[in-house]
């Protein structure tokens, strides 16, 4: 057991964990809003080596882990040739910077030596290549200096390869995650003590077993009656069996001790590796947080650029900016600089795209159709909310507590939220309901399909500047929007499931259409960005014609999660299908590309009949407007008031302008500003009554965080109570969470043949009677 104890107290200082190596940059530079690669964590102040004088390099084995650092010349391109850069070799990684001062906030590039090839070209030049993805052509000031670097690189590579092999060996069996090293040592000492106790028992059993058998042998030698001899012989046989069993147990204990001693070092090495990885990740995230704060301070006074693209300005501006930031080619630019990330502004909302085919003459023809006139409004709606307080958020204070946890289980503060729930965001799809009103009046199914396609695209226009996340609804939470008096429709949403999260939505209009959908959100965090993939089918039914349309949503991507200015993009394809006629529309949301000359946020599409013949082409952007052009000579045209623009284009939809000072109100639209307004007569589960959301809207973010934790804990208690009730009835066929929604039923949809939630048609009757006795207590 000496080896076990020695392994438990080993420092593990000789174990160097591999750092996370950044992904290789494709040729041509990073895309819009790209995140710089993770730089190696710099040494803490006072613990690193003394920086060498300019033009020299140094070698160190201090606690900082820096094996060597100094100036080298790096090949950039044929125009600029070799440029002097500051290189740092640390923990199997070779990183470089433009200067030593730049190490505090930016890393130009990093290459992992464990998989790199090092070759010498001539007396001063050498090349480091990582499988063809990254290649550094370097030149030292002299042959002696080059040889020093080659030696240091080879040694670092050997250590990295050895450490990687050791990590592979120790990675066969995942060690139990223990964050407290003292607890691990106590456990090892306890195990060692138990093994020693087993050894003591082993010795005692052997000693007493031998004495017992000796005594029985002596008894056999005595002259005793016949019956006694038989009994003694029987006891002797049993003692022999006991001794055999004891020997077997002793051999098993000995094997266990040998196995524990042989594997103790391996387990300790695996544990130390996990601890090193955790510490390295903490240091890296802290460095990223410092870089983020540095960039914010550096560009706080910069001029705000118009929001022409989600991550860019006209290319001539970009070219000028690059010359100021770096003298290297695009391959080595890793900045979230202002020419790449822009901030939305009021001017940007009115900006006209010069590269688009959208006609300026048709800009105002939809104003009266999209927005109801004020004389039709019977209820005054609020037009502003309390301005967003200027809370400073330390990203590192949040991220350092999330290391090693699943993304879906991280408790996020309200600082990342906007004062609306996901149910209210889902209701915002109804902002351009007039497109469906016009579609209900169409006699042509193909013209109606064009308007449904425009309505589908319009639901994404509210996301262009809305980078904050909505509140996750509590199970059983609802939200109603009754606009029957002024707009002719009413809507109801309910959170019907929590694992996985799912919301059901039903809207109906007196103008002859019904919209229903079930949305499940699945997300994937990919380091630089977060992909949000809505699942579920959307149904739109027109009562007069009987046309039934279905479609699904595209993928939403949030870029610059860790560092930089957040921006959102939509990408993917949508197929809208008319189940009555067989007509369909195919829409394509083009992902943003920094090198593309197309209009940003571009959407194109085709409307075709059941035979595949194209009748209309659609074009526009998901954040501003949509138009269509008839492929065949138009017949009667759109009879519902849509004028024709030049070049035979018909304006289908245009985004409403944002309210005044929207940038201080979370970039809410006019409809979004009204969604959380207090209202009487609503269900006690309505999102308007959610206390943490109300506190946040009023600017009390600290109290909102406390209230949010209380609601989440209350929801967990309710879930555990439902699970306990299920265990009492011992129904193995029932789901783990036996919760049943109040206003929706889970059943087979006759059109899509999917199991979905369909409205029971009981909510508005309950509201009229003010009978909320069935509503759960969730707030």
């Amino acid at each position: 057991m000496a080896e076990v104890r020695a392994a438990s107290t080993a420092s593990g200082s000789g174990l160097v964990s591999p750092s996370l190596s950044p992904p290789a940059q494709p040729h041509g530079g990073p895309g819009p809003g790209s995140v710089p690669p993770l730089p190696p964590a710099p040494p803490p102040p006072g613990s690193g080596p003394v920086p060498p004088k300019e033009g020299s390099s140094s070698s160190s084995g201090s606690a900082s882990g820096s094996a060597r650092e100094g100036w080298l010349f790096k090949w950039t391109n044929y125009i600029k040739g070799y440029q002097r850069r500051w290189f740092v070799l640390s923990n199997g990684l070779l990183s470089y910077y433009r200067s030593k001062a730049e190490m505090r906030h930016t890393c130009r590039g990093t290459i992992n030596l464990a998989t790199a090839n090092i070759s010498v070209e001539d007396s001063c030049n050498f090349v480091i290549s990582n499988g063809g993805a990254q290649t550094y052509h370097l030149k030292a000031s002299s042959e002696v200096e080059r040889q020093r670097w080659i030696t240091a690189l080879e040694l670092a590579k050997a250590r990295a390869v050895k450490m990687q092999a050791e990590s592979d060996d120790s990675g066969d069996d995942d060690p139990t995650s223990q964050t407290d090293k003292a607890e691990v040592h106590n456990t090892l000492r306890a195990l060692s003590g138990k093994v020693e106790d087993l050894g003591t028992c082993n010795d005692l059993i052997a000693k007493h077993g031998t004495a017992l058998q000796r005594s029985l042998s002596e008894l056999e030698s005595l002259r005793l009656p016949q019956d006694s001899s038989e009994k003694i012989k029987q006891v002797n046989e049993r003692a022999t069996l006991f001794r055999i069993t004891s020997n077997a147990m002793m051999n098993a204990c000995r094997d266990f001790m040998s196995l524990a001693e042989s594997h103790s070092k391996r387990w300790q090495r695996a544990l130390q590796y996990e601890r090193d990885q955790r510490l390295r990740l903490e240091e890296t995230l802290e460095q990223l947080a410092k870089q983020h704060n540095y960039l914010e301070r550096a560009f706080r006074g910069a001029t705000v650029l118009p929001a022409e693209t989600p991550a860019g300005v006209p290319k001539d501006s970009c070219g000028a900016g690059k010359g100021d930031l770096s003298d290297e080619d695009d391959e080595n630019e890793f900045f979230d600089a202002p020419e790449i990330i822009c901030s939305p502004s009021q001017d940007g909302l009115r900006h006209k795209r010069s590269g688009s085919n959208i006609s300026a003459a048709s800009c105002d023809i939809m104003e009266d159709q999209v927005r109801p006139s004020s004389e039709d409004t019977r209820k005054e709606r609020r037009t502003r909310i309390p301005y967003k307080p200027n809370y400073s958020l330390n990203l590192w204070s949040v991220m350092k507590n999330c290391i090693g946890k699943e993304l879906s289980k991280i408790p996020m503060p309200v600082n990342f939220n906007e004062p609306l729930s996901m149910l209210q965001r889902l209701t915002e799809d109804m902002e351009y309901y007039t497109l469906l009103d016009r579609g209900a009046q169409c006699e042509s199914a193909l013209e109606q399909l064009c308007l449904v396609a425009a309505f589908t695209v319009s639901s994404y226009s509210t996301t262009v500047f809305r980078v904050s996340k909505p509140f996750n609804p509590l199970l059983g939470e609802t939200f109603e929007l009754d606009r029957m008096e002024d707009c002719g429709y009413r809507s109801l949403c309910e959170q019907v499931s929590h694992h996985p999260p799912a919301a059901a939505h039903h809207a109906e209009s007196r103008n002859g259409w019904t919209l229903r959908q079930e949305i499940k959100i699945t997300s994937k965090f990919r380091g630089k960005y977060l992909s949000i993939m809505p699942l579920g089918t959307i149904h739109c039914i027109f009562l007069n014609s009987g046309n039934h349309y279905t479609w699904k949503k595209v993928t939403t991507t949030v870029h610059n999660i860790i560092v930089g200015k957040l921006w959102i993009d939509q990408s993917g394809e949508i197929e809208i299908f008319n189940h009555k006629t067989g007509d369909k529309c195919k829409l394509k949301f083009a992902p943003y590309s920094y090198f593309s000359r197309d209009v940003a946020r571009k959407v194109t599409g085709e409307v075709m009949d059941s035979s595949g013949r194209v009748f209309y082409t659609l074009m526009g952007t998901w954040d501003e407007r949509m138009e269509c052009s008839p492929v065949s000579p138009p017949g009667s045209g759109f009879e519902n008031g849509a004028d024709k623009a030049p070049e035979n284009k018909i304006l289908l939809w245009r985004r409403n302008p944002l309210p005044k000072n929207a940038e201080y109100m979370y970039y809410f639209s006019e409809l979004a500003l009204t969604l959380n307004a207090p209202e009487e007569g609503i269900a006690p589960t309505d999102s308007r009554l959610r206390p943490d959301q109300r506190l946040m809207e009023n600017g009390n973010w600290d109290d909102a965080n406390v209230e949010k934790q209380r609601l989440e804990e209350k929801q967990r208690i309710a879930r555990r109570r439902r699970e306990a009730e299920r265990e009492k009835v011992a129904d193995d066929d029932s789901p783990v969470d036996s919760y049943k929604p109040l206003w929706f039923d889970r059943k087979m949809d006759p059109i899509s043949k999917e199991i979905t939630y369909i409205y029971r048609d009981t909510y508005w009757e309950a509201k009229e009677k003010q009978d909320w006795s069935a509503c759960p207590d969730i707030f």
Side-chain angles (χ1 to χ4, degrees):
M1 295 312 299
E3 293 182 19
V4 176
R5 292 170 181 168
S8 65
T9 57
S11 64
S13 59
L15 216 67
V16 183
S17 59
S19 176
L20 299 173
S21 60
Q25 285 290 336
H27 181 71
S34 62
V35 181
L38 299 180
S47 64
V50 179
K53 296 181 180 180
E54 185 169 317
S56 65
S57 61
S58 66
S59 178
S60 173
S62 64
S64 66
S66 176
R68 189 173 184 81
E69 57 184 9
W71 292 102
L72 288 172
F73 291 90
K74 180 181 179 297
W75 175 264
T76 57
N77 51 47
Y78 286 99
I79 298 177
K80 299 176 183 178
Y82 283 95
Q83 297 291 325
R84 194 175 68 160
R85 295 291 177 258
W86 181 259
F87 280 80
V88 175
L89 176 60
S90 174
N91 295 330
L93 296 176
L94 180 65
S95 306
Y96 74 95
Y97 311 83
R98 182 189 286 187
S99 63
K100 289 185 288 185
E102 199 177 57
M103 292 174 61
R104 293 195 303 266
H105 54 82
T106 302
C107 177
R108 295 280 172 165
T110 302
I111 191 168
N112 190 351
L113 295 178
T115 56
N117 295 322
I118 304 171
S119 58
V120 178
E121 288 188 334
D122 54 28
S123 59
C124 295
N125 292 23
F126 59 99
V127 178
I128 304 175
S129 178
N130 191 355
Q134 290 175 291
T135 302
Y136 293 170
H137 294 267
L138 306 176
K139 182 168 67 175
S141 58
S142 65
E143 186 174 356
V144 175
E145 185 69 15
R146 185 218 65 187
Q147 189 56 42
R148 289 175 180 172
W149 274 103
I150 292 294
T151 303
L153 290 170
E154 292 290 355
L155 291 175
K157 178 182 177 180
R159 285 194 297 266
V161 171
K162 180 180 178 182
M163 182 267 306
Q164 186 175 17
E166 291 177 351
S167 65
D168 292 341
D169 293 339
S170 62
D172 295 339
D173 298 319
D174 293 335
T176 304
S177 177
Q178 298 288 344
T179 57
D180 191 356
K181 191 172 183 179
E183 182 179 354
V184 175
H185 291 171
N186 292 335
T187 303
L188 290 174
R189 283 195 295 268
L191 288 175
S192 177
K194 294 296 181 184
V195 171
E196 290 179 356
D197 292 343
L198 286 175
T200 303
C201 293
N202 181 13
D203 297 337
L204 291 174
I205 289 173
K207 178 181 178 181
H208 294 313
T210 303
L212 175 62
Q213 195 138 17
R214 187 185 306 113
S215 299
L216 289 173
S217 300
E218 292 175 354
L219 284 176
E220 286 183 351
S221 63
L222 296 177
R223 293 181 180 180
L224 295 175
Q226 179 111 11
D227 295 340
S228 300
S229 299
E230 292 294 331
K231 291 291 185 181
I232 292 173
K233 185 177 181 180
Q234 187 178 6
V235 172
N236 195 6
E237 291 176 353
R238 292 181 180 178
T240 303
L241 291 175
F242 173 75
R243 183 175 183 180
I244 294 173
T245 306
S246 300
N247 289 334
M249 188 198 74
M250 288 185 288
N251 291 333
C253 292
R254 191 178 299 108
D255 293 341
F256 170 76
M257 293 176 62
S258 300
L259 185 63
E261 290 177 357
S262 62
H263 284 77
S264 61
K265 290 186 177 180
R266 178 181 174 186
W267 294 336
Q268 181 69 19
R269 195 164 57 243
L271 176 63
Q272 185 64 31
Y273 169 75
E274 294 297 333
R275 287 173 51 82
D276 291 342
Q277 286 291 79
R278 176 185 174 90
L279 292 175
R280 184 172 301 281
L281 187 55
E282 287 180 355
E283 294 172 356
T284 303
L285 284 174
E286 184 175 11
Q287 187 68 12
L288 285 173
K290 291 179 180 179
Q291 179 182 351
H292 175 70
N293 294 333
Y294 170 82
L295 290 174
E296 281 190 346
R297 290 195 303 270
F299 300 109
R300 186 166 293 170
T303 304
V304 177
L305 301 176
E308 175 174 332
T309 64
V313 294
K315 292 189 175 181
D316 54 347
S317 300
C318 287
K322 284 184 180 181
D324 296 334
L325 287 175
S326 175
D327 56 355
E328 297 195 21
D329 56 346
D330 293 341
E331 184 180 1
N332 295 314
E333 290 298 328
F334 300 96
F335 280 95
D336 292 288
E339 74 270 17
I340 296 179
I341 301 301
C342 62
S343 300
S345 66
Q346 290 294 96
D347 295 334
L349 301 178
R350 298 187 290 268
H351 183 73
K352 307 296 181 182
R353 288 184 174 86
S354 60
S356 68
N357 294 325
I358 299 173
S359 171
S362 59
C363 285
D364 301 322
I365 62 178
M366 294 284 290
E367 189 71 24
D368 296 333
Q369 296 170 356
V370 175
R371 303 175 62 187
S373 58
S374 58
E375 61 186 21
D376 294 336
T377 305
R378 295 179 175 84
K379 184 177 181 180
E380 185 177 356
R381 308 283 177 180
R382 70 178 185 179
T383 58
R384 64 180 302 275
I385 60 174
Y387 285 172
K388 179 179 179 180
N390 188 19
Y391 274 83
S392 61
L393 177 63
N394 186 355
L395 181 64
W396 170 241
S397 65
V398 178
M399 295 301 297
K400 70 179 181 181
N401 297 322
C402 303
I403 298 174
K405 297 181 181 179
E406 294 183 20
L407 188 65
S408 60
K409 297 182 179 180
I410 296 175
M412 303 300 288
V414 300
N415 307 56
F416 293 102
N417 288 16
E418 62 181 17
L420 289 179
S421 74
M422 188 63 197
L423 302 180
Q424 292 165 315
R425 284 291 293 267
L426 197 59
T427 306
E428 282 191 70
D429 290 356
M430 309 306 302
E431 179 169 3
Y432 299 97
Y433 68 94
T434 53
L435 292 170
L436 299 182
D437 288 346
R438 292 168 53 206
Q441 302 173 19
C442 280
E443 296 181 0
S444 169
L446 293 172
E447 295 176 0
Q448 189 180 74
L449 185 51
C450 290
L451 292 168
V452 172
F455 174 80
T456 302
V457 176
S458 70
S459 64
Y460 297 98
S461 63
T462 59
T463 66
V464 60
F465 300 134
R466 303 270 290 278
V467 295
S468 300
K469 66 180 290 290
F471 279 80
N472 293 327
L474 303 175
L475 187 61
E477 186 175 336
T478 61
F479 178 73
E480 68 157 75
L481 182 63
D482 190 356
R483 302 294 293 268
M484 191 63 76
E485 292 184 0
D486 54 343
C487 300
Y489 75 90
R490 59 188 182 185
S491 167
L492 174 68
C493 292
E494 181 181 6
Q495 187 75 3
V496 295
S497 174
H498 193 63
H499 294 288
H505 179 210
H506 180 88
E508 56 191 16
S509 171
R510 66 186 176 197
N511 294 321
W513 55 265
T514 299
L515 184 77
R516 58 183 173 86
Q517 57 181 322
E518 177 194 347
I519 298 298
K520 300 177 183 177
I521 301 296
T522 179
S523 60
K524 291 184 179 180
F525 180 61
R526 305 181 185 274
K528 292 184 179 181
Y529 58 90
L530 176 68
S531 295
I532 303 171
M533 293 146 290
L535 306 176
T537 304
I538 305 172
H539 298 255
C540 182
I541 304 101
F542 292 95
L543 305 182
N544 293 336
S545 62
N547 291 331
H548 190 136
Y549 300 92
T550 60
W551 67 91
K552 297 179 183 291
K553 289 182 174 287
V554 296
T555 299
T556 300
T557 305
V558 184
H559 295 269
N560 293 350
I561 296 296
I562 299 296
V563 178
K565 193 77 171 180
L566 292 175
W567 62 278
I568 290 179
D569 194 19
Q570 315 286 347
S571 60
E573 295 184 357
I574 294 178
E575 181 177 280
I576 308 173
F577 187 72
N578 186 343
H579 291 270
K580 180 182 179 181
T581 63
D583 303 336
K584 60 183 176 181
C585 172
K586 293 184 177 180
L587 294 173
K588 182 178 181 181
F589 289 68
Y592 177 78
S593 174
Y594 184 71
F595 303 99
S596 175
R597 296 186 179 182
D598 285 337
V599 180
R601 312 180 185 103
K602 182 180 180 181
V603 181
T604 57
E606 293 179 338
V607 175
M608 60 192 73
D609 62 8
S610 57
S611 65
R613 178 186 173 188
V614 178
F615 282 81
Y616 294 94
T617 59
L618 305 175
M619 70 289 295
T621 57
W622 54 263
D623 67 317
E624 193 167 298
R625 59 198 295 156
M626 284 296 294
E627 296 173 335
C628 76
S629 296
V631 175
S632 59
S636 58
F638 285 71
E639 291 87 14
N640 297 296
D643 298 332
K644 290 187 177 181
E647 301 179 7
N648 208 25
K649 293 180 180 178
I650 302 170
L651 180 65
L652 298 173
W653 160 78
R654 185 185 61 186
R655 187 189 68 188
N656 297 331
L658 287 177
K660 185 179 180 181
N661 297 324
E663 63 271 23
Y664 304 114
M665 298 182 292
Y666 308 91
Y667 286 97
F668 281 179
S669 63
E670 289 185 357
L671 175 62
L673 289 174
T674 67
L675 293 180
N676 205 43
E679 191 169 324
E680 296 181 357
I682 58 178
T685 55
D686 197 278
S687 299
R688 300 177 181 90
L689 303 177
R690 182 165 175 166
D692 54 348
Q693 186 172 302
R694 181 65 61 189
L695 287 169
M696 183 195 175
E697 182 182 275
N698 294 332
N700 302 323
W701 285 16
D702 294 335
D703 296 338
N705 278 317
V706 175
E707 193 67 18
K708 180 173 179 287
Q709 293 180 6
R710 182 188 70 82
L711 293 177
E712 291 172 349
E713 181 59 27
K714 184 176 182 179
Q715 183 173 231
R716 285 190 285 268
I717 293 174
R719 177 181 173 85
R720 288 194 291 267
R721 184 170 58 249
R722 288 193 302 271
E723 293 176 352
E725 292 174 355
R726 173 185 173 273
E727 292 178 357
K728 287 181 181 180
V729 299
D731 187 2
D732 296 334
D733 295 332
S734 64
V736 175
D737 193 347
S738 58
Y739 175 81
K740 294 182 179 180
L742 187 58
W743 311 111
F744 290 81
D745 280 327
R746 184 172 174 82
K747 59 179 66 174
M748 173 74 73
D749 185 85
I751 298 297
S752 63
K753 305 301 180 183
E754 298 175 344
I755 300 295
T756 185
Y757 288 92
I758 299 179
Y759 178 52
R760 290 182 180 177
D761 203 15
T762 57
Y763 178 85
W764 302 108
E765 181 181 353
K767 181 182 180 182
E768 185 177 353
K769 297 178 182 179
Q770 284 297 294
D771 181 13
W772 306 118
S773 57
C775 293
D777 177 19
I778 60 174
F779 298 143

